[in-house]
Amino acid sequence: MISAAVTDEPDASDGEFVLTLRADEMVYRGLVEPERLDEIRRVAEQFSVAVTEDMAGLIDPGDPDDPIAAQFVPSGAELTTAAQELTDPIGDARWSPVPGIVHRYPDRVLLKPTLVCPVYCRFCFRREVVGKTPAMLDPAALERAYDYIRQRPEIWEVIVTGGDPFVLAPRRLAAIVETLDAISHLGVIRFHTRAPIVDPRRVTAALVTALTAEKAVWVVVHANHPRELTPAAKEAVTRLVRAGIPVLSQSVLLRGVNDDAAVLETLFRGLVAMRVKPYYLHHADLARGTAHFRTGIKAGQRLVRSLRGRVSGLCQPTYVLDIPGGYGKVPIARCAIHSDDASRGWTVEDSAGVRHSYLPDPDDPAR
């Protein structure tokens, strides 16, 4: 099935409803050569395919290495599964006690009300389930998910993800926020979404109003290349920020897309200039058919170290790896400080790789 993307119906206040392009339409628009249609169809039989008009408009069909096309246009390389790749690379199933909930960490849970996205990233770690049916939790399953949260006072934060929760109509988002806002032990409601970047017209006044709560509501957007930070995306983020909603970002380190210090510098500076704090830079997960996107960890560490000397701390996300099997995220940037047993002190490496001695107070027992 090529038309794998499904979207919730818009409310009357949503304005124009933004459609997505599927495989045949990508050929018609000139984003894919006609002779590749069979290849694209074979990929679409396994993984969902869709790209928004906004992202399609950024693609240069004449550039075989276009970083936007690499993220959204299917490739036959996705049909090759490397030995270490997994259908559930970060172990969601292991930590899913009821449908729609992932409870990996004691104080927070993921709530996945929908498995639909406005685009389907070719490197997605949930590519085995997004865009498939059922597209949404039914009302009974959603209520069971809420009950799971209500019954566990240790849960302090709910991360609404999917799929992309911003494909839901504002009235549905408002119902989710209202329900979570009424759970006394929660402190934070967080939304993870690609929509403000890839489908910014979804961020309407009605959607922003739907996020209003007594509790703190945060939004985390996803952007991987500076060309994604279009004027429309900036306007969408500005609507959130002006409503008092703090916005963070996450990016994935992708070979051929952003594995370059200058590209990452431009991306992170652009986000901060939009009042978005870079939060995570993910090492690409071991999702099936994504080996062509992954860099080496040492290469990622070199990039992150080079950024330390190029951009301010505001522009520095944490470089993380989600341990396969469901063991959680860990920072994997190279440590800059090492014990020096000879001097009973430390050796500290600066952003240029030059090492310096650091000797604490000899009377400090915690040195």
Side-chain angles (χ1 to χ4, degrees), residues 227-256:
R227 272 168 48 197
E228 297 171 51
L229 308 184
T230 64
K234 293 174 184 176
E235 289 176 12
V237 169
T238 297
R239 292 186 201 110
L240 294 167
V241 172
R242 285 182 175 168
I245 299 170
V247 182
L248 307 174
S249 73
Q250 54 184 345
S251 305
V252 181
L253 182 60
L254 300 168
R255 182 156 45 123

Side-chain angles (χ1 to χ4, degrees), residues 31 253 344:
L31 302 178
L253 182 60
R344 301 183 65 202

Side-chain angles (χ1 to χ4, degrees), residues 161-362:
T161 181
D164 192 321
F166 279 16
V167 303
L168 299 175
R171 61 183 176 80
R172 293 186 188 272
L173 281 176
I176 292 170
V177 171
E178 182 179 359
T179 301
L180 296 176
D181 201 26
I183 299 175
S184 61
H185 56 264
L186 293 183
V188 173
I189 305 166
R190 192 198 322 173
F191 285 88
H192 281 198
T193 175
R194 197 87 150 100
I197 304 298
V198 303
D199 200 357
R201 281 164 286 188
R202 285 189 181 274
V203 185
T204 61
L207 184 147
V208 174
T209 299
L211 302 180
T212 302
E214 291 296 320
K215 300 187 190 304
V217 175
W218 291 65
V219 169
V220 181
V221 299
H222 178 168
N224 296 317
H225 193 275
R227 272 168 48 197
E228 297 171 51
L229 308 184
T230 64
K234 293 174 184 176
E235 289 176 12
V237 169
T238 297
R239 292 186 201 110
L240 294 167
V241 172
R242 285 182 175 168
I245 299 170
V247 182
L248 307 174
S249 73
Q250 54 184 345
S251 305
V252 181
L253 182 60
L254 300 168
R255 182 156 45 123
V257 174
N258 58 16
D259 58 334
D260 176 89
V263 171
L264 290 176
E265 175 182 346
T266 304
L267 171 64
F268 297 145
R269 282 184 171 172
L271 287 163
V272 170
M274 293 165 54
R275 299 182 179 87
V276 177
K277 172 68 180 82
Y279 175 42
Y280 278 147
L281 174 64
H282 295 268
H283 191 77
D285 294 307
L286 297 175
R288 188 163 62 96
T290 63
H292 54 295
F293 282 114
R294 285 192 296 278
T295 67
I297 287 179
K298 287 185 177 179
Q301 290 174 328
R302 285 193 296 269
L303 282 169
V304 169
R305 186 177 71 177
S306 71
L307 286 173
R308 179 61 59 184
R310 297 172 69 116
V311 295
S312 80
L314 283 175
C315 303
Q316 311 263 352
T318 301
Y319 181 36
V320 295
L321 172 71
D322 223 321
I323 302 172
Y327 298 98
K329 295 182 185 69
V330 290
I332 58 169
R334 183 178 173 185
C335 185
I337 190 165
H338 309 276
S339 177
D340 186 341
D341 293 333
S343 66
R344 301 183 65 202
W346 298 86
T347 299
V348 187
E349 192 172 312
D350 66 25
S351 59
V354 178
R355 295 196 168 195
H356 308 268
S357 293
Y358 174 76
L359 297 175
D361 184 337

